[in-house]
Amino acid sequence: MAPQTRRMTFPNVVIERDTDSEPSSSDEEEEEEEVEEEEEKVVENKNEERMEEPLEAKKKGKTPITISLKKVCKVCKKVGHEAGFKGATYIDCPMKPCFLCKMPGHTTMACPHRVATEHGVIPAPRRNTRNPLEYVFERQFRPGVLRIKPAFVIPDEVTCAVIRYHSRRITCLEFHPTSNNVLLSGDKKGQVGVWDFGKVHEKMVYGHIHSCIVNNMRFNPTNDDSVYAASSDGTISCTDLETGISLSLMNLNPDGWQGPSSWRMLYGMDINSEKSLVLVADNFGFLYMVDTRSNNKIGEAILIHKKGSKVVGLHCNPVQPELLLSCGNDHFARIWDLRRMEAGSSLYDLAHKRVVNSAYFSPLSGSKILTTSQDNRLRIWDSIFGDLDSPSREIVHSHDFNRHLTPFKAEWDPKDPSESLVVIGRYISENYNGAALHPIDFIDISTGQLVAEVMDPNITTITPVNKLHPRDDVLASGSSRSLFIWRPKKSELVEQKVERKIVICDRAEKKQSRKYGNKSDDSDDDKFTSKGKKLKSNKPEWKLTRCSGKVKR
DNA sequence: AGACAATGACTCC
DNA sequence: TGGAGTCCCTTGTC
């Protein structure tokens, strides 16, 4: 029989069979299985390039097989090691820099940042050591911010409601400004979902507003029922959530598709309520302003980032809305004064090593800056009045770029009076009782400490989109096409007033049989597909999962 | 179970 | 400046 080669991903496997001894069974499938077994043996048997069929196999009367193979790493293509999942644990390629901190010389498993997120982080100073002028400014600017940080209130257990009505991955989330149980979600296809998670079945999906990625949404500050959205189709929409009627404020591609070099996409967006402006930025580095009263574009587009680079984030300072923060693919976050907007006139340029996925002023005082960069670092500037040449702190955290994932963005907890609690999804998985899970991390940005990891053993996908509720103890997450609402189990919040690290994962055993879980199990997930293929009318379109917690000190 | 596709940052030339 | 090639702990579908 001719030599067989198997799977392209398993290179250099050559099986030679002696021609004078026919197999006892000629069944192709059985042969295949035998070969599989032999491969396993060889792989386990150290690293030999060529080896003979073990003697016992010959004794058993099996066909003598000679196998030549090498252990080849799928990452660096070198022999002698293999990268990839071993059960629920990912083994790094030792030839590559650490997947977490990006430094050479160690793997993710041995990375000091993996063991302790605060590794190498210098905590924020307790006393104000800046000069008197800055102090006066700061007192005016941040009246409500507590000097002494209260302990975080983190539950031991949470419940998680899951719903799936998006047909493409979720790209952005927004809580309704006044209706506590309403969550808006945008997806890659351009659909906008409105979910009343207080009433299970109350959901609405608007599919006609945009034709591709919804990159950012903001509620109209003067009308709770209308929401603005910026999309890669090059338009800004304003949608009335009651009627579903949507109007387009601006269209950057009036002549339709003329090729990728001219197609403009809108990414960053924010609203300046003082000036009644919608600010948007495109994939070529330009900022546009639209008056929300007349729906007219104001002035010409202004180049605010490197020409031809994507501007992914815009944020107006919550206290001083004339201050604008932008960030983008040119590796910079920039601070601007809206009263003097012209190319090159930024007040500060905050340098990063890679693309900056998000840059936000702190939600209460507006005096801190938090950025998420694709170099796996969160950067914090403690005061916009202080030294902005370098960040006050860099926290190594796994939130790499992957083209198939919505970019990760660290989000402030708008309820934290000390402006130090931040939520962000984690890219790399951890082996939790045999399941590879990607938790949602709560990080104290004043120390770099991981305060809590939130996870559900049923949720095996990465959760890059997260938003904390402005008033309630609610976390909304977008993971692939699913939406989650996490809430603490009632009765627990009062008891737990200590700062601690919590792991919510004690049901992970359930997934032990699974190699590593990206595919849905026998759960109800499939019933929620947009195509409605497996949708059964008598089944609810959501599920509540209880996750009991375990405290790790 | 495996193949495949969707598709973005980055480097090199 | 742009095109080709590479990166290589995704996710869902067929």
Side-chain angles (χ1 to χ4, degrees), chain A residues 46-98:
Chain A
K46 281 172 252 151
N47 205 13
E48 292 175 34
E49 284 189 23
R50 187 180 175 87
M51 68 179 300
E52 289 276 303
E53 162 93 339
L55 275 175
E56 22 176 287
K58 281 182 182 172
K59 281 178 196 163
K60 274 193 253 166
K62 284 189 181 178
T63 315
I65 294 174
T66 308
I67 299 171
S68 301
L69 57 76
K70 291 174 182 176
K71 247 188 197 179
V72 178
C73 174
K74 68 174 183 182
V75 176
C76 69
K77 311 285 185 284
K78 290 197 170 68
V79 294
H81 63 272
E82 278 177 302
F85 275 101
K86 263 242 169 334
T89 305
Y90 191 90
I91 310 296
D92 270 4
C93 169
M95 308 303 285
K96 292 283 172 181
C98 170

Side-chain angles (χ1 to χ4, degrees), chain A residues 449-493:
Chain A
Q449 275 179 328
L450 183 61
V451 177
E453 308 164 73
V454 173
M455 74 202 80
D456 180 330
N458 293 304
I459 298 166
T460 54
T461 48
I462 294 169
T463 310
V465 193
N466 295 285
K467 211 120 205 188
L468 287 161
H469 198 283
R471 293 167 298 279
D472 296 341
D473 287 307
V474 170
L475 164 68
S477 303
S479 185
S480 186
R481 300 173 188 183
S482 299
L483 287 171
F484 311 137
I485 289 287
W486 309 83
R487 273 184 282 210
K489 268 178 75 180
K490 280 171 197 160
S491 81
E492 280 192 10
L493 274 177

